Structures are given as structure tokens and as C-alpha cells.
């Protein structure tokens, strides 16, 4: 059961409501692997202040896939689409993407005066997977997929510390050539 504020709960059952989505994701800052910047977007048309941070308005350019919630323990994911990106800026966008960077989505409501209803709810939290690009003339849509931590357990590990796995990744490398023989080693160095 989620802890909803009274205002948020009222908006869920209101006849007329204005839902909003907030997206926060980490990306590469460009000056090294450790340089990170956080992008904050929301589904409105102009910048807005919430949670002590400024969220840039992405309006209709931002789309978020449904993220279901169940009581069972399972892997889940959601997708965030950014449309209207000029094709000549795609390389820059993809250069900022780093797999496994965290992302979060909150769901909330706006009041009639444009203020945010207290306590938007964290809808999904996950790690970034590989983005997909679809071009449409001079612009493109980039879809970022985020998966929760349980996806790690569903993915099987196909690489082992064996010579065969090493040859698959680095043909000709002899670093794991004697791994099998080491299993029979008695632990004594030098002459016995």
C-alpha cells in the first residue's frame, strides 16, 4: 500500500484532473567516464520547480510507457521517448548515454492554478538499457528503456573464466590457456 497525501488521493478520484510525469536520469557529462549530469524533464510546456529542483518542460515531446505494478516479485521495465530531436544532434545524445545509469519517474497532478499537488508518487526506478532510435525526416525519436534490478537475475551469464570464453572475446589471447590445468595443481611451487 502506498502512502498517498490527502491532496494526491483526492486527485485520483476527481472528475477532472491534470496528470503530470517527472523524469530524472543520469547521463555522461562529456569530460570523462566519471563526469555525470542529471537531466530533469516533465510533461509540461515550461520549466517548473518541484522537490527543490528545476524540471525542464518537454511537453508533448516526452512520452512514458505504462509501468504496471504487481504484488509478485518480477523484473519490470519502462520506456521513455523523446521526440523531435534534430537528426544532426543524435550522435551527441547517444554520446551521453551510459548503460546502467539510474533513472526515475514520478507521477503527479496539477492543481487548477498550475501548482503541483503535494507529493507526486515515485512510479518507477531502474537502470538504463540501450536506447532505440527511429528517424522521421529531419527529426528523430530516442526511446530510453529502464529496467529494475531484478532484470539482472533473469539474464544468464554466458561468459566464464575459461580459455574458450576468452577466445570468443579476444581470439589469440593466451591468458586463460592453463586455467583447466590449474584445477589439478597441488599448490607447491618449484621442485618437489
Amino acid at each position: 500500500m502506498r502512502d498517498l497525501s490527502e491532496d494526491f488521493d483526492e486527485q485520483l478520484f476527481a472528475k477532472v484532473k491534470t496528470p503530470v510525469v517527472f523524469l530524472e536520469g543520469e547521463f555522461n557529462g562529456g569530460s570523462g567516464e566519471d563526469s555525470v549530469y542529471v537531466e530533469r524533464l516533465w510533461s509540461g510546456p515550461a520549466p517548473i520547480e518541484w522537490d527543490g529542483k528545476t524540471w525542464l518542460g518537454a511537453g508533448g515531446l516526452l512520452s512514458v510507457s505504462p509501468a504496471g505494478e504487481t504484488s509478485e516479485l518480477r523484473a519490470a521495465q519502462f520506456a521513455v521517448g523523446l521526440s523531435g530531436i534534430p537528426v544532426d544532434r543524435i550522435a551527441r545524445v547517444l554520446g551521453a548515454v551510459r548503460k546502467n545509469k539510474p533513472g526515475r519517474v514520478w507521477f503527479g497532478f496539477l492543481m487548477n492554478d498550475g501548482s503541483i499537488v503535494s507529493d507526486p508518487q515515485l512510479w518507477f526506478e531502474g537502470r538504463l538499457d540501450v536506447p532505440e532510435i527511429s528517424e522521421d525526416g529531419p527529426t528523430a525519436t530516442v526511446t530510453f528503456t529502464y529496467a529494475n534490478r531484478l532484470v539482472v537475475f533473469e539474464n544468464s551469464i554466458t561468459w566464464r573464466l575459461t580459455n574458450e570464453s576468452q577466445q570468443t572475446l579476444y581470439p589469440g589471447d593466451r591468458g586463460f590457456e592453463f586455467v583447466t590445468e590449474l584445477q589439478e595443481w597441488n599448490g607447491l611451487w618449484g621442485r618437489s
Side-chain angles (χ1 to χ4, degrees):
M1 187 69 188
R2 292 185 184 259
D3 227 5
L4 303 177
S5 70
E6 191 175 311
D7 292 338
F8 192 93
D9 196 36
E10 284 177 20
Q11 287 296 316
L12 284 174
F13 297 102
K15 288 185 180 184
V16 177
K17 51 189 149 232
T18 308
V20 292
V21 174
F22 295 90
L23 166 70
E24 179 180 74
E26 285 187 14
F27 295 91
N28 181 28
S31 57
E33 278 298 311
D34 296 333
S35 174
V36 172
Y37 76 93
V38 177
E39 188 73 57
R40 292 181 183 91
L41 303 171
W42 81 293
S43 56
I48 194 169
E49 294 290 323
W50 173 66
D51 197 30
K53 301 167 188 134
T54 302
W55 302 76
L56 301 176
L61 303 178
L62 179 68
S63 65
V64 180
S65 72
E69 190 173 86
T70 98
S71 60
E72 61 187 56
L73 190 62
R74 68 174 173 83
Q77 64 182 23
F78 74 92
V80 177
L82 288 174
S83 59
I85 299 172
V87 174
D88 60 344
R89 300 184 91 198
I90 291 296
R92 184 174 166 198
V93 170
L94 294 180
V97 173
R98 291 293 176 265
K99 191 171 180 168
N100 292 323
K101 289 290 184 188
R104 294 168 228 32
V105 173
W106 289 266
F107 179 74
F109 296 101
L110 286 183
M111 300 291 271
N112 291 339
D113 64 359
S115 64
I116 300 167
V117 171
S118 62
D119 302 325
Q121 295 295 302
L122 182 62
W123 185 15
F124 195 91
E125 186 170 14
R127 297 281 174 172
L128 183 62
D129 200 357
V130 180
E132 294 179 20
I133 302 169
S134 60
E135 292 184 34
D136 185 23
T139 63
T141 298
V142 179
T143 303
F144 301 97
T145 302
Y146 288 87
N148 69 7
R149 294 180 187 176
L150 294 176
V151 169
V152 172
F153 296 113
E154 287 187 350
N155 295 335
S156 63
I157 298 172
T158 58
W159 191 83
R160 306 277 187 237
L161 295 174
T162 64
N163 189 48
E164 291 78 19
S165 287
Q166 187 69 0
Q167 293 306 312
T168 301
L169 296 172
Y170 304 102
D173 184 24
R174 299 178 59 193
F176 289 94
E177 185 175 10
F178 300 105
V179 168
T180 307
E181 293 174 25
L182 283 173
Q183 294 175 7
E184 305 295 325
W185 183 50
N186 65 7
L188 298 174
W189 287 97
R191 296 182 201 201
S192 46

